Amino acid sequence: DAGVTQSPTHLIKTRGQQVTLRCSPKSGHDTVSWYQQALGQGPQFIFQYYEEEERQRGNFPDRFSGHQFPNYSSELNVNALLLGDSALYLCASSGLDRMNTEAFFGQGTRLTVV
Amino acid sequence: AQSVAQPEDQVNVAEGNPLTVKCTYSVSGNPYLFWYVQYPNRGLQFLLKYITGDNLVKGSYGFEAEFNKSQTSFHLKKPSALVSDSALYFCAVRDMNTGFQKLVFGTGTRLLVSP
């Protein structure tokens, strides 16, 4: 059973560019959340997608946007990249009993903005 | 607002000794509590959770955690540490009363187990 998979694993972008990160949830899961983990920090919630809609959003600017597809996979888009956007971006998926189950995380995408 | 505090940046313990990694939380309603472990250049791996029921929760790899409502704590424990337990540990909380699944994480505690 494949867990949560993210691509790419590493990415280097230039300030001002745009980036798209991808996530496939664990089999049987329909909810995807995205987190940003800066160096030396705990993960910070960006937003969550369920039924192809953004259901909850953390304290991140509109430069951060996302999408969920009918197969439950998801994309995270970041526009006008800043140096401060350099971080590990984690995708987490959860199942139908969303409140009582734990979230499963992917290995993350390491984004470096230069 | 939810919050989690992990007061120790690093915990050092000798192999074979018991270990404790501390976590305190704050939520407006009833908490769902989680512990995750992160190895270098990897994502987060689920260890255990408290939803309801017994205050002592057992999880993966011999880890357990004790929920203490009066002290708003959820400390991670293991009776006998292994060198391979060395990693970064995160405590997280979700407010079950809000209906949201957002996890709020602590800043993490690095566990170093020496041979």
Side-chain angles (χ1 to χ4, degrees), chain A residues 97-102, chain B residues 32 34 49 51-52 94 96:
Chain A
D97 188 10
R98 283 173 293 283
M99 290 306 295
N100 290 318
T101 59
E102 60 275 17
Chain B
Y32 284 179
F34 304 83
K49 66 183 177 185
I51 304 295
T52 186
R94 175 195 300 160
M96 74 164 74

Side-chain angles (χ1 to χ4, degrees), chain B:
Chain B
Q2 305 153 246
S3 66
V4 172
Q6 293 183 244
E8 303 153 317
D9 289 337
Q10 183 164 313
V11 170
N12 298 303
V13 65
E15 188 175 33
N17 284 356
L19 69 89
T20 298
V21 182
K22 296 179 180 178
C23 170
T24 59
Y25 67 90
S26 175
V27 295
S28 56
N30 293 315
Y32 284 179
L33 293 156
F34 304 83
W35 276 101
Y36 285 85
V37 60
Q38 187 174 38
Y39 295 97
N41 300 313
R42 301 294 297 275
L44 301 178
Q45 184 175 338
F46 171 76
L47 280 180
L48 51 79
K49 66 183 177 185
Y50 172 82
I51 304 295
T52 186
D54 290 341
N55 290 340
L56 185 62
V57 178
K58 295 189 182 296
S60 306
Y61 312 117
F63 284 93
E64 57 189 28
E66 186 168 10
F67 171 65
N68 188 317
K69 188 173 183 178
S70 63
Q71 297 185 5
T72 61
S73 66
F74 190 56
H75 300 331
L76 181 70
K77 300 181 180 184
K78 187 174 183 181
S80 179
L82 300 173
V83 172
S84 58
D85 292 330
S86 298
L88 190 55
Y89 290 81
F90 289 98
C91 180
V93 67
R94 175 195 300 160
D95 186 340
M96 74 164 74
N97 288 6
T98 65
F100 295 142
Q101 293 189 55
K102 164 186 171 182
L103 284 171
V104 174
F105 286 86
T107 52
T109 298
R110 186 166 302 281
L111 174 65
L112 183 59
V113 182
S114 55

